[in-house]
Amino acid sequence: MDLKKHWDRAYEGKDIQKLSWFEPLPEKSLELIAKCNLAKDDKIIDVGSGTSTLMDALLDAGYKNITAVDISAAALQSSQQRLGPAAKNIEWLVDDLTHPRHLTKIKNVALWHDRAVLHFLLQEKDRQTYRKTLLDIVKPGGHVIIAAFAIGGATKCSGLDLYNYDRESLVDFLGAGFKLLHSFNHTYTMPSGDERPYIYTHFVKHKNQQA
Ligand SMILES: C[S@@+](CC[C@H](N)C(=O)[O-])C[C@H]1O[C@@H](n2cnc3c(N)ncnc32)[C@H](O)[C@@H]1O
């Protein structure tokens, strides 16, 4: 399957508020981001950003060094249109987390944020590419927030199969270079009213951990 086309089609001409992953305000992500005590010019990357309103919230909070990454150019264009002139304050990168070409050039990331993206990577080599990119570009002492569909929850999203996680499997996935600071289960209610259980995790990269 051509995933870029799949995701472009998921966004093209769509009312973003009806997407089955839409959040008017990404409250759980923002709660964890507040705990990171970031400086306003710290580098923040939102991978698989889609049309997430996290961008609006981060700009409103005064963050100045934000990058939105997605495989779908259509998704990022939609976000840019929504944000209007404020969009110029964000770096927009069309890139594939399983074959990164641009993301790998970024350095000193203070926060890597992922809501609902890692769980689409089913093959071990793709999961390891994701992990290596994260390991390479998050700085020592940097933060990682990953929210994924929980074990026991839905096994498909956007017509695609998923790899479900719990706290332990995310701890195993990131490995010894990261310390888990917080984790919780959260039930997200879709615009349709259906519920989707998520696991949220917040890690810090050990200070002496190089790429
Ligand atoms: C369920 S949506 C979540 C979007 C956003 N994080 C949010 O919370 O609203 C998954 C997003 O991951 C993106 N995506 C899927 N596979 C990807 C990949 N291999 N590389 C980069 N982005 C990817 C999709 O285009 C889509 O925008």
Side-chain angles (χ1 to χ4, degrees), residues 28-36 45-47 111-115 130 134 143-147 174 200-203:
K28 296 296 156 192
S29 296
L30 291 170
E31 272 173 37
L32 290 175
I33 292 170
K35 294 180 195 288
C36 298
I45 290 208
D46 185 32
V47 296
L111 169 63
W112 170 291
H113 176 270
D114 167 345
R115 172 178 177 264
Y130 175 110
L134 183 161
H143 297 260
V144 175
I145 294 172
I146 298 179
L174 282 191
Y200 275 74
T201 49
H202 172 196
F203 297 86

Side-chain angles (χ1 to χ4, degrees), residues 14-189:
K14 299 283 164 56
D15 174 354
I16 69 156
Q17 300 194 16
K18 297 204 171 118
L19 295 172
S20 64
W21 51 91
F22 174 75
E23 291 182 298
L25 189 69
E27 285 174 39
K28 296 296 156 192
S29 296
L30 291 170
E31 272 173 37
L32 290 175
I33 292 170
K35 294 180 195 288
C36 298
N37 290 319
L38 300 174
K40 295 300 183 197
D41 58 354
D42 274 345
K43 176 79 129 172
I44 299 176
I45 290 208
D46 185 32
V47 296
S49 190
T51 50
S52 174
T53 53
L54 182 65
M55 296 300 100
D56 317 47
L58 291 175
L59 287 174
D60 284 350
Y63 293 105
K64 297 178 195 321
N65 195 349
I66 309 164
T67 302
V69 181
D70 205 281
I71 196 170
S72 166
L76 297 186
Q77 278 159 16
S78 170
S79 279
Q80 287 164 22
Q81 277 167 13
R82 183 183 76 248
L83 287 163
K88 68 175 184 332
N89 299 318
I90 291 179
E91 185 183 3
W92 305 92
L93 272 188
V94 177
D95 211 356
D96 180 348
L97 284 156
T98 67
H99 296 91
R101 293 171 56 226
H102 308 294
L103 196 50
T104 41
K105 297 187 184 120
I106 295 174
K107 294 282 167 246
N108 282 325
V109 170
L111 169 63
W112 170 291
H113 176 270
D114 167 345
R115 172 178 177 264
V117 187
L118 172 65
H119 62 209
F120 287 108
L121 308 189
L122 303 181
Q123 296 188 32
E124 192 53 25
K125 74 170 173 34
D126 292 341
R127 291 182 353 112
Q128 290 309 322
T129 301
Y130 175 110
R131 183 175 174 277
K132 182 174 182 340
T133 306
L134 183 161
L135 211 61
D136 285 349
I137 73 173
V138 173
K139 66 181 185 181
H143 297 260
V144 175
I145 294 172
I146 298 179
F149 272 22
I151 289 177
T155 54
K156 271 189 185 275
C157 175
S158 185
L160 301 176
D161 289 333
L162 301 178
Y163 190 117
N164 297 69
Y165 287 90
D166 59 9
R167 182 182 56 204
E168 288 69 30
S169 53
L170 284 166
V171 168
D172 282 353
F173 172 65
L174 282 191
F178 294 83
K179 180 180 172 196
L180 181 71
L181 296 182
H182 308 100
S183 71
F184 53 82
N185 294 297
H186 168 63
T187 302
Y188 162 70
T189 304

